[in-house]
Structures are given as structure tokens and as C-alpha cells.
């Protein structure tokens, strides 16, 4: 026993406590530290595998995104090509319709010109016939009347007045 004043130490009691401490340390190490270490290692492995899976998923997602972007670019190019073809077809159709309209207008104009020429000829022919008839009528009236100049002038004026009323 060691006496330190208010504190006394007993060797037997200290030795017993030291042995109890060592036994408790071995028991804690065997039954507590070992399983806790195993649990911690398992947890570390789970976390590592989850990190690997997350990295793999991220890479797959990046690949998928790149593929989607490529497909979107292809779709845009195809859409642009379709729009260009449609625009070209519309321009071609517009040119064709304009050409057909011009041809139809030219044909109608030619037909109208020909019709006008025919009607003009008919009118001239009718006028010639009327003039011939009027000339004959005038001549017969002049012959019926006396041949003095005043009477002849009056007869012609009356005839022209009658012809003017008919036209």
C-alpha cells in the first residue's frame, strides 16, 4: 500500500483493476471492435460500389445525351432539307402556273383579236351592202325628180337625213 496523504493506493486492488481492464479490453476488441470494423468495411464497400454505379450511370447518361443531341441535329438537318424541297417545289409550281396563265392570256388575246377582225370585216361588208342599197335608192330618187340642181341638192339632203335616222 502506498499512502499519498488523502489518497492511498493498494497494489492488489490496482493489479486486479489492471487485469480486469486488460480482460475488458480483449473482450471489447473481440466482440465490439471486430464487428464494428467489419460493419465499417462493409459500409465502405457499399459506398464505393454506389459511387462506381453512379459514375457508370453518369457516363451512360452522357452517352445517351450525346446520342440524343446527334439525333436532334439529324432531325433538324432533315427538317431543313424537307423545307428547302418544299420551297423549291412551291417556286416551281408558281413558275408553272404563271407560265400557263401567260399562255392562256396570250391565247385569249389572239382569239379576241381574231374575233374583232372577223366582226370588223362583217361590219364593213354590211356597211358596203347598205351603201350599195342606199346608192341605188339615191339614184332612183334623183332620177324620179327633176334634174335641176336645187331639187337634186334637196333630195340628197333628205336622203342623208333619212340615212342618218336609220343609223
Amino acid at each position: 500500500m502506498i499512502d499519498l496523504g488523502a489518497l492511498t493506493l493498494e497494489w492488489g486492488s490496482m493489479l486486479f483493476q489492471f487485469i480486469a481492464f486488460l480482460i475488458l479490453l480483449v473482450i471489447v476488441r473481440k466482440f465490439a471492435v471486430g464487428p464494428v470494423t467489419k460493419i465499417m468495411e462493409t459500409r465502405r464497400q457499399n459506398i464505393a460500389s454506389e459511387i462506381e454505379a453512379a459514375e457508370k450511370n453518369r457516363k451512360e447518361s452522357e452517352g445517351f445525351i450525346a446520342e440524343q443531341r446527334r439525333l436532334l441535329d439529324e432531325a433538324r438537318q432533315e427538317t431543313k432539307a424537307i423545307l428547302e424541297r418544299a420551297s423549291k417545289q412551291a417556286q416551281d409550281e408558281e413558275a408553272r402556273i404563271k407560265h400557263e396563265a401567260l399562255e392562256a392570256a396570250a391565247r385569249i388575246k389572239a382569239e379576241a383579236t381574231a374575233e374583232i377582225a372577223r366582226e370588223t370585216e362583217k361590219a364593213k361588208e354590211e356597211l358596203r351592202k347598205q351603201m350599195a342599197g342606199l346608192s341605188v335608192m339615191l339614184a332612183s330618187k334623183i332620177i324620179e325628180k327633176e334634174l335641176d340642181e336645187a331639187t337634186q341638192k334637196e333630195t340628197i339632203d333628205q336622203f342623208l337625213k333619212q340615212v342618218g335616222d336609220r343609223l
Side-chain angles (χ1 to χ4, degrees):
M1 175 176 263
I2 303 177
D3 191 14
L4 297 172
L7 186 64
T8 54
L9 296 175
E10 288 187 25
W11 286 105
S13 188
M14 250 175 48
L15 183 65
F16 176 75
Q17 287 179 355
F18 182 71
I19 292 172
F21 176 74
L22 286 178
I23 292 172
L24 186 61
L25 187 63
V26 169
I27 291 172
V28 167
R29 185 175 169 123
K30 181 171 181 155
F31 293 109
V33 174
V36 169
T37 305
K38 285 182 185 177
I39 290 172
M40 295 296 279
E41 181 60 27
T42 304
R43 180 75 177 135
R44 188 194 63 77
Q45 288 175 353
N46 285 341
I47 291 172
S49 68
E50 287 177 7
I51 289 173
E52 286 177 20
E55 184 66 25
K56 180 181 174 186
N57 288 340
R58 185 187 61 81
K59 287 180 180 179
E60 286 177 0
S61 296
E62 287 175 354
F64 180 72
I65 289 171
E67 178 67 17
Q68 292 301 314
R69 285 183 181 153
R70 184 187 63 78
L71 291 174
L72 184 61
D73 288 342
E74 286 177 4
R76 284 182 182 149
Q77 290 174 354
E78 187 175 333
T79 301
K80 183 178 177 183
I82 289 170
L83 289 174
E84 287 174 355
R85 282 195 307 267
S87 176
K88 173 87 169 83
Q89 287 175 347
Q91 289 173 352
D92 291 347
E93 186 68 16
E94 178 186 8
R96 184 188 63 78
I97 289 171
K98 281 182 181 178
H99 180 69
E100 288 176 359
L102 289 173
E103 286 179 349
R107 186 177 62 251
I108 291 170
K109 183 179 177 184
E111 289 173 0
T113 303
E115 181 67 24
I116 290 170
R118 283 192 298 274
E119 289 298 320
T120 303
E121 279 302 313
K122 280 173 67 176
K124 285 180 182 177
E125 187 61 34
E126 185 66 31
L127 190 58
R128 281 188 201 117
K129 286 179 184 177
Q130 285 181 0
M131 286 298 281
L134 291 175
S135 294
V136 169
M137 245 177 25
L138 179 62
S140 68
K141 290 236 183 201
I142 290 176
I143 291 175
E144 286 177 7
K145 298 264 180 176
E146 293 180 14
L147 292 175
D148 71 358
E149 193 174 317
T151 307
Q152 191 177 20
K153 185 171 175 138
E154 185 182 322
T155 304
I156 290 173
D157 287 339
Q158 284 178 353
F159 177 72
L160 288 176
K161 186 178 176 186
Q162 287 176 354
V163 170
D165 289 342
R166 286 185 186 174
L167 296 176

